[in-house]
Amino acid sequence: MNKITAAITCVNGYVPEDLLTNKDLEKMVDTTDEWILTRTGIRERHILKDPNLATSDMAVPAVNGLLQKRGITAEEIDLIIFATVTPDLIFPSSACILADKIGAKNAFGYDLAAACSGFLFALETGAKFVESGRYQKVVVVGGDKMSSIIDYTDRNTCIIFGDGLGCVLLEPNEEGLGVIDSILKVDGHGRHFLHQKAGGSLKPPTRATVDAREHYVYQDGKTVFKYAVSGMADVSAQIMERNSLTADDVAWLVPHQANLRIIDATAERMGLPREKVMINIDHFGNTTNGTLPLCLWEWEKQLKKGDNIILSAFGGGFTWGAIYLKWAYNS
Ligand code: UT7
């Protein structure tokens, strides 16, 4: 019997309708459309405005659409891994909530928290379950309602983030397609530069933490930027090298969408022209766990069976990494 690999066999995504443009932000904080566009590459982001809707409410249409596209039912799902930093609740997990809402009665599932690298870590984890031979249908979800933890008086963070979510289905493959290799990293000293100060066991929520706005994202952008540029570029180049891939061999780079300048630096290090790089930061901003699957969703029709694809991300923790996969189908 051939070795079992885990292949992505379907992709879907969801972004809320409401837009937050750079012009809107000009009215909220001391910034300009021109500054945001030239420093980050972002024009607008989507926002889940309804205060009664949470991250799982973006996952429901995304995963239901995924199942419909693939022609399977929710009851066939074995496992849901939900990568998010904005779960509906601290517990139970958003995976449990999603399973209930879509009727995935035979699945187990859990959330995975690795900030902007969450989808990469979840993809690797899901792939291992499929490769084991024990699980056949693993749904990997990545997405965030970032607007629920963003301080819209802080221009260091509010200009970057948006809401959105994507998902993929992983299934066994015996043609050698799917996830081939990964390099995944954490460095906890980076926690000082990108975090939420309160809300966890270190500093449970109190009136004082709310008054001090400590439940919002804190970011030392300059430091994160420096580490992101070298981190993402290093692992992306390394994974090419150790799989003997030249720039010609790589069909697509799927980079985390935090800043266009970080994406460009990564592509340059890999020797890839812009045409081979998926970039949607201009219209989605940084959706944290949503960036990679939303790219795959938008580009799905252009992907061909056998394409060599490198996914790469960097985020809070610090967490970062790259995955090399061979695309498994033509749309
Ligand atoms: O996805 C998770 C990982 N996150 C990232 O990868 C984000 C990494 N960081 C970044 O993308 C960038 O650091 C930012 C976009 C957050 C900031 O861009 P920057 O080029 O690093 O700006 P900076 O913080 O060095 O600030 C440069 C100048 C400063 O003014 P002075 O001191 O030179 O007069 C800032 O006060 O720009 C000013 N500035 C702004 N001006 C207008 C900072 N933010 C803004 C703003 N609008 N929103």
Side-chain angles (χ1 to χ4, degrees):
M1 201 173 96
N2 290 338
K3 186 179 165 227
I4 298 171
T5 51
I8 293 175
T9 56
C10 197
V11 186
N12 207 29
Y14 177 86
V15 284
E17 260 174 42
D18 284 305
L19 289 178
L20 179 66
T21 65
N22 290 353
K23 285 279 173 210
D24 295 329
L25 285 164
E26 281 181 357
K27 293 178 210 135
M28 296 157 71
V29 289
D30 181 14
T31 192
T32 62
D33 174 36
E34 205 249 332
W35 191 96
I36 300 172
L37 195 56
T38 51
R39 302 306 290 169
T40 70
I42 304 170
R43 287 176 197 279
E44 61 188 26
R45 340 86 200 103
H46 291 248
I47 301 292
L48 189 62
K49 270 210 175 138
D50 186 335
N52 297 312
L53 296 181
T55 303
S56 77
D57 295 301
M58 296 192 286
V60 169
V63 175
N64 278 336
L66 182 84
L67 300 175
Q68 202 176 0
K69 258 169 97 173
R70 185 69 182 134
I72 61 171
T73 66
E75 289 175 356
E76 291 176 66
I77 301 172
D78 297 313
L79 165 61
I80 297 170
I81 306 178
F82 201 135
T84 185
V85 290
T86 52
D88 295 25
L89 303 165
I90 301 276
F91 77 93
S93 69
S94 295
C96 289
I97 297 169
L98 174 64
D100 177 51
K101 287 181 175 174
I102 64 173
K105 292 190 171 63
N106 300 310
F108 77 110
Y110 50 87
D111 291 0
L112 190 152
C116 296
S117 310
F119 183 79
L120 268 192
F121 288 18
L123 189 64
E124 171 73 354
T125 311
K128 293 297 162 210
F129 279 100
V130 173
E131 287 165 17
S132 75
R134 195 176 300 173
Y135 302 95
Q136 273 68 49
K137 293 195 168 29
V138 174
V139 173
V140 180
V141 181
D144 279 292
K145 183 185 177 184
M146 290 306 292
S147 61
S148 66
I149 55 168
I150 292 300
D151 181 350
Y152 286 97
T153 66
D154 175 13
R155 70 176 184 176
N156 289 308
T157 49
C158 73
I159 56 144
I160 302 173
F161 293 98
D163 300 339
L165 178 144
C167 52
V168 302
L169 180 67
L170 286 173
E171 292 184 88
N173 183 284
E174 293 194 21
E175 298 175 273
L177 302 171
V179 176
I180 306 293
D181 195 12
S182 67
I183 302 176
L184 303 174
K185 307 255 186 191
V186 302
D187 177 358
H189 111 278
R191 69 188 181 281
H192 302 296
F193 309 111
L194 181 51
H195 57 244
Q196 236 177 314
K197 293 188 188 302
S201 58
L202 179 65
K203 228 185 201 192
T206 62
R207 188 165 296 176
T209 61
V210 172
D211 287 346
R213 309 180 84 77
E214 291 181 335
H215 299 268
Y216 293 123
V217 172
Y218 164 82
Q219 175 172 249
D220 169 352
K222 224 185 235 252
T223 305
V224 177
F225 183 90
K226 201 178 76 189
Y227 281 96
V229 164
S230 56
M232 254 173 80
D234 283 352
V235 287
S236 305
Q238 274 167 23
I239 207 160
M240 282 175 73
E241 230 171 85
R242 87 176 186 193
N243 288 281
S244 306
L245 295 170
T246 66
D248 284 344
D249 298 325
V250 175
W252 295 99
L253 167 65
V254 190
H256 175 50
Q257 314 279 313
N259 188 312
L260 188 54
R261 291 180 289 143
I262 301 173
I263 297 173
D264 282 342
T266 304
E268 193 180 321
R269 182 76 174 282
M270 297 166 75
L272 295 183
R274 264 271 181 100
E275 310 86 77
K276 288 188 173 188
V277 185
M278 298 185 191
I279 298 170
N280 59 17
I281 191 169
D282 55 316
H283 52 281
F284 289 157
N286 181 352
T287 54
T288 305
N289 284 281
T291 59
L292 300 181
L294 283 173
C295 279
L296 293 174
W297 177 49
E298 272 198 282
W299 267 263
E300 185 188 23
K301 290 212 158 45
Q302 294 182 56
L303 305 180
K304 294 188 199 69
K305 190 172 174 178
D307 275 355
N308 291 314
I309 298 181
I310 309 276
L311 298 99
S312 178
F314 188 94
F318 293 136
T319 56
W320 73 106
I323 285 183
Y324 162 40
L325 61 81
K326 277 186 175 292
W327 198 248
Y329 62 97
N330 297 313
S331 295

